[in-house]
């Protein structure tokens, strides 16, 4: 399994390739707010671990293993953002909160959250009930 740092890179690389058709070191560095030299080191590690194929000055492509994990990571991030939004977390906190928790949840926990999101989607009144409970608790505090 990739480390949390490797996950961040794979997620970003997958997003860039999905959006633009390619991922350059400079784009990855900008997206992750790291130095290009750090990106190059991580790309070499991801290449060694067979998540991508990297040729200096020619670019990189994700392997099937890298694509599978990259998609899974992007899906996880989107699910957690949707979940936090659904339960009433203020929009300004959602991205940072997801970044803070996504690497610390097991895939079992992610599957449970996914089921819960589906449960809420099946009947919008469930979300309304949840938010009214939260409003009552807020009044008490």
């Amino acid at each position: 399994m990739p480390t949390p740092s490797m996950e961040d890179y794979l997620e970003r690389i997958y997003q860039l390739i999905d959006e633009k058709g390619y991922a350059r070191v400079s784009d990855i560095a900008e997206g992750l707010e790291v130095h290009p030299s750090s990106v190059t080191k991580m790309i070499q590690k991801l290449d060694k671990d067979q998540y991508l194929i990297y040729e200096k000055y020619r670019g990189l492509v994700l392997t099937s293993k890298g694509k599978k994990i990259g998609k899974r990571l992007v899906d996880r991030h989107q699910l957690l953002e949707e979940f936090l939004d659904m339960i009433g977390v203020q929009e300004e906190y959602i991205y940072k909160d997801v970044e803070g928790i996504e690497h610390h949840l097991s895939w079992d926990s992610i599957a449970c959250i996914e089921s819960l999101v589906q449960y809420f989607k099946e009947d919008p009144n469930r979300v309304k009930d949840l938010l009214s409970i939260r409003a009552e608790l807020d009044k008490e505090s």
Side-chain angles (χ1 to χ4, degrees):
M1 285 300 295
T3 65
S5 181
M6 291 167 76
E7 286 184 348
D8 286 338
Y9 279 84
L10 285 168
E11 182 180 355
R12 188 67 193 132
I13 291 166
Y14 183 88
Q15 287 173 321
L16 285 166
I17 291 173
D18 189 49
E19 293 166 9
K20 298 169 76 169
Y22 59 90
R24 295 183 312 204
V25 168
S26 59
D27 296 328
I28 299 165
E30 182 182 328
L32 295 175
E33 299 178 352
V34 297
H35 292 287
S37 60
S38 299
V39 174
T40 301
K41 287 177 189 170
M42 181 57 79
I43 286 174
Q44 291 168 344
K45 171 115 177 81
L46 292 169
D47 181 53
K48 180 176 161 276
D49 291 349
Q50 301 177 338
Y51 291 106
L52 55 81
I53 299 166
Y54 174 64
E55 293 181 32
K56 196 171 183 178
Y57 305 116
R58 295 197 59 183
L60 59 94
V61 292
L62 290 170
T63 62
S64 59
K65 174 182 171 181
K67 285 179 191 173
K68 180 180 175 185
I69 290 179
K71 178 171 179 10
R72 192 174 185 199
L73 297 170
V74 167
D75 290 347
R76 174 184 71 184
H77 189 100
Q78 290 171 343
L79 171 70
L80 292 172
E81 281 190 358
E82 181 179 15
F83 175 66
L84 293 180
D85 180 57
M86 187 177 278
I87 63 172
V89 174
Q90 292 178 33
E91 188 175 335
E92 64 195 80
Y93 301 124
I94 291 175
Y95 182 82
K96 189 170 183 166
D97 286 353
V98 169
E99 287 296 310
I101 65 173
E102 66 184 341
H103 300 297
H104 302 286
L105 294 173
S106 67
W107 287 104
D108 183 54
S109 293
I110 297 296
C112 291
I113 291 170
E114 186 173 29
S115 298
L116 188 58
V117 166
Q118 186 59 39
Y119 172 78
F120 284 133
K121 282 181 173 179
E122 287 173 6
D123 183 354
N125 289 322
R126 293 171 180 160
V127 175
K128 289 177 187 171
D129 291 344
L130 174 69
L131 295 177
S132 67
I133 291 169
R134 180 174 176 205
E136 286 299 318
L137 291 173
D138 287 347
K139 285 180 189 175
E140 293 173 11
S141 15

